[in-house]
Each structure stands twice: as structure tokens, then as C-alpha cells.
Amino acid sequence: MGNICARLKSKPPPQSSAKKRSSSRRERRLDDAAIREQAIAAAILFKQHQQQQQFDRSTSLRYPNGVSKKNNSNTLPRSSSSRARSLTDPLLQPHQLLNQGVNVDDLETNHIVLVHGGGFGAWCWYKSIALLEESGYKVAAIDLTGSGVSSFDTNIITSLSQYVKPLTDFLEKLPEGKKVILVGHDFGGACISYAMEMFPLKISKAVFVAAAMLTSGQSTLDIISQQAGSNDLMQQAQTFIYANGNDHPPTSFDMDKSLLRDLLFNQSPTKDIALASVSMRSVPFAPVLEKVSLSDLKYGSVRRFYIETLEDNAIPISLQENMINANPPEKVFRLKGADHSPFFSKPQALHKLLVEISKIL
């Protein structure tokens, strides 16, 4: 400020026009150089600030592995991920914000396969697909039988193997020696468990996102029954369909669209709830009833990770904890502020955890 004031108060002696033009050019050159130096300094400061914000906004603390598959201790290694919204988000590319220093070519696999939950389809992963692909990952989102764009009638699906066939077909066609990371959401957890038992050598890691993580001999219905009576909202939202007549078991069930926001999307943007309300389909009931057979030799050989959703009204955190304690994964991560659909409510934080898991050696 002192220099500015001094220039305002003092007047230089008169100069000729040529001298004035020469002096003006020199001043402009000096000003340009100063501006460039300031711009470089500002860019460096912004970069440092951006990197600092990266850790302030979304913290993911990993602890040394302390849980074996036979350890039933309630103390599990956890990772906390909570990301506040920032006004700078629209100005930054996702890979700049979250994944600086990631070289996907150095990973065991950069191929991630996303498996939706009951009633959803591949469409629900649209944010995750974009973020992962922008970060250099190869991504496949599967429509299970009778889901998404599949024209199959959900009421005639009679087994888990039939429901999961698009996923098992995909894995079967993988070239020899190629591996993928499976990510399953909701009922997709049971589906990737089935696939892990069938193709353990083709799966590098399995990530359960607010998902059914079963033990051998257990069905998804067994898991749901653990919260019977404690989740009135779930019971209110389910409408069973009896395509074979009321004297036979239900063939599928729908979700009451008026309750979708409260049950599945209580933290999600309105536009994503609108997308879900016109895209969700019936959930086949027979696969939900089916008990899975999982062996230590096959299913147990695949590294498992669980991502908890703390604001989940469909699979409450208490039920997620029960599954984790009954069948401990290698690591547990937590998504603060995430509802049952973190690909909508916390897409950036979910993406950061998927990248983090892919980098675990």
C-alpha cells in the first residue's frame, strides 16, 4: 500500500513522447514479469491448498491388518471416510481431486466390475463409472437377469444361478490370467459371493458396499430376518407379487415408490431419486430365499472388504456390523453421511475408497 500511495502523491518530471513510450514499454514488461511470477506462486499455493483439502475433506485412515479370517474379535481395522461439500468441486476434475499419484498400470488389476442390488440396474452406477474411467480404470457394470435393460421377466427367475448368469458369463469369458475387482451393493453382495465361489482365480478383491455378506448355508432372507420387526419402513415398502397364485410363494416383490426416498435415498439428490423411481424393477424372490454354499478353499481365498453406510435405513448399521462380525473381512471402511445408495449420496467418497482398496497390496 505504501508504494501505491507514494506513486499517487509524487509526480515525475515531464518526459518527451518517445521517452514516455519507451518507459511505458519497460513498465509493461516489468508488470508482465511480476504477474507471471505471482501467477506461478499462486498456482503453487493453490496446489498445496488443494492437496491439504484432499485430506481434510475426505479422511481415510487405514490401520495395520489385525484380523484374520478365523479371528472373531469385535475389534476390526476400520477406515473412516467423510467428505464435506466444497464450492471448489465444480472447478476440479474428479481424478485431480481424489486420485493424485494413482498409476493404474502398477495395480494388480485396474478392471472393476460393478454389481447392482435388488431392484437396481447398471444405471445406478453412472457416477462411479464416470469417476473410475476418468481415473484410468476399466469398468464394467452388469445388468443381472431381469434387471436394468434385461427383458427377462423377474417372476420366472427360479434360482440365484439364473439371476447371476450375466455376471458369471462375464467372468467365464475373461482371458486366462486376467483378474477383476468385484463390487457388490445390497443383494449384489450375495451375487458376488456366488461368483467368488465359482471363479476365485479370476477375482482379485471383492468389495461389499452396504451389501449382504453371507456365511455358508445362509440366504439373504436369513440376513433380512435378523431385523424383522425393527425395520417397519422396509416392511411397509415391500409389495409381494404372486405370479403363480396366492397359494404359492411370492415370485417377486416391488418397492413402494412413495417410500423410496426414506428407505433407500434419504441422503441422495432429488434428481437421482427421480432416476431410480422410473428405473427400478421388481426383485425376484427365489434368489433371496436360496442358501449359498461357500467354501474356504474358493470363496475364502478371495480378499474381502466391506464399506459401511452410516445413514442407511434399508440395511441399518447394526445389521451391517452383525454380518461383519459373523464373517470378518480383511478391512472395514466407513462412509459417513451415506445412505443405502452411496453411489448417489457420496459418489466422490465412495470412489476414493474403491481406488484406495484397489491399491492395497
Side-chain angles (χ1 to χ4, degrees):
M1 288 294 293
N3 291 336
I4 295 174
C5 293
R7 284 200 298 272
L8 289 174
K9 289 179 181 178
S10 60
K11 292 184 179 180
Q15 297 179 353
S16 67
S17 296
K19 287 183 178 181
K20 285 182 179 180
R21 285 195 297 272
S22 176
S23 175
S24 177
R25 284 194 294 271
R26 284 196 299 272
E27 289 176 358
R28 281 199 299 272
R29 284 197 295 270
L30 290 172
D31 287 344
D32 289 345
I35 290 171
R36 283 195 298 272
E37 291 178 1
Q38 290 172 358
I40 292 170
I44 293 171
L45 287 173
F46 177 75
K47 186 73 171 179
Q48 293 172 343
H49 177 64
Q50 177 184 335
Q51 291 173 339
Q52 182 61 40
Q53 278 190 321
Q54 174 184 343
F55 293 103
D56 290 344
R57 285 201 304 266
S58 183
T59 59
S60 185
L61 305 177
R62 288 188 290 148
Y63 298 91
N65 292 342
V67 176
S68 68
K69 292 173 183 174
K70 295 182 179 179
N71 184 1
N72 291 325
S73 169
N74 290 332
T75 303
L76 292 168
R78 301 194 178 276
S79 174
S80 175
S81 180
S82 176
R83 180 183 179 278
R85 296 185 182 273
S86 168
L87 294 177
T88 63
D89 285 355
L91 304 178
L92 300 174
Q93 294 299 316
H95 64 279
Q96 293 174 321
L97 180 65
L98 295 172
N99 301 314
Q100 295 175 5
V102 174
N103 186 351
V104 295
D105 294 331
D106 294 336
L107 304 176
E108 180 185 9
T109 179
N110 66 350
H111 196 173
I112 297 179
V113 179
L114 305 171
V115 183
H116 63 80
F120 291 86
W123 52 266
C124 72
W125 297 105
Y126 78 94
K127 293 180 181 179
S128 297
I129 293 169
L131 289 167
L132 288 166
E133 287 183 343
E134 287 176 0
S135 300
Y137 289 84
K138 184 178 179 180
V139 187
I142 306 294
D143 273 323
L144 300 175
T145 306
S147 306
V149 299
S150 169
S151 60
F152 205 89
D153 183 359
T154 55
N155 288 298
I156 59 175
I157 296 174
T158 58
S159 67
L160 183 58
S161 62
Q162 185 182 15
Y163 182 60
V164 181
K165 193 173 187 302
L167 174 60
T168 53
D169 285 350
F170 177 89
L171 292 172
E172 190 171 21
K173 293 174 184 176
L174 278 179
E176 192 71 27
K178 294 294 184 181
K179 289 188 174 186
V180 299
I181 296 173
L182 288 186
V183 180
H185 169 249
D186 184 77
F187 184 40
C191 299
I192 67 171
S193 296
Y194 182 90
M196 290 158 67
E197 182 67 21
M198 288 192 67
F199 300 99
L201 298 180
K202 294 189 174 184
I203 302 167
S204 169
K205 299 182 179 82
V207 185
F208 294 76
V209 182
M213 189 167 64
L214 312 178
T215 57
S216 186
Q218 198 173 38
S219 71
T220 302
L221 183 62
D222 293 333
I223 293 290
I224 297 172
S225 299
Q226 293 180 20
Q227 59 174 344
S230 63
N231 194 341
D232 292 336
L233 187 59
M234 175 67 82
Q235 295 177 17
Q236 292 172 31
Q238 291 175 338
T239 302
F240 288 94
I241 299 169
Y242 296 82
N244 296 329
N246 291 337
D247 55 341
H248 291 83
T251 51
S252 65
F253 62 90
D254 277 329
M255 291 290 183
D256 185 337
K257 286 183 168 49
S258 68
L259 296 176
L260 286 181
R261 179 189 295 272
D262 292 336
L263 181 64
L264 304 176
F265 311 116
N266 48 297
Q267 302 292 324
S268 296
T270 302
K271 64 180 181 180
D272 292 324
I273 302 173
L275 171 65
S277 68
V278 298
S279 303
M280 292 191 73
R281 296 178 60 180
S282 300
V283 182
F285 197 57
V288 176
L289 290 173
E290 188 171 326
K291 297 182 185 296
V292 296
S293 179
L294 305 173
S295 66
D296 289 339
L297 182 63
K298 295 180 178 180
Y299 167 86
S301 68
V302 180
R303 301 173 70 184
R304 286 181 295 114
F305 303 84
Y306 200 98
I307 298 178
E308 295 179 334
T309 45
L310 302 192
E311 305 298 327
D312 196 324
N313 289 338
I315 302 182
I317 188 61
S318 58
L319 182 53
Q320 295 178 49
E321 294 279 359
N322 288 345
M323 290 187 288
I324 289 165
N325 291 332
N327 189 15
E330 184 174 323
K331 271 187 170 62
V332 176
F333 299 82
R334 312 191 97 184
L335 274 179
K336 297 177 181 177
D339 56 23
H340 187 60
S341 307
F343 37 74
F344 289 159
S345 59
K346 286 290 181 179
Q348 296 275 11
L350 173 61
H351 172 65
K352 180 179 182 297
L353 289 184
L354 293 179
V355 170
E356 183 178 351
I357 291 169
S358 76
K359 294 163 62 180
I360 296 175
L361 300 177

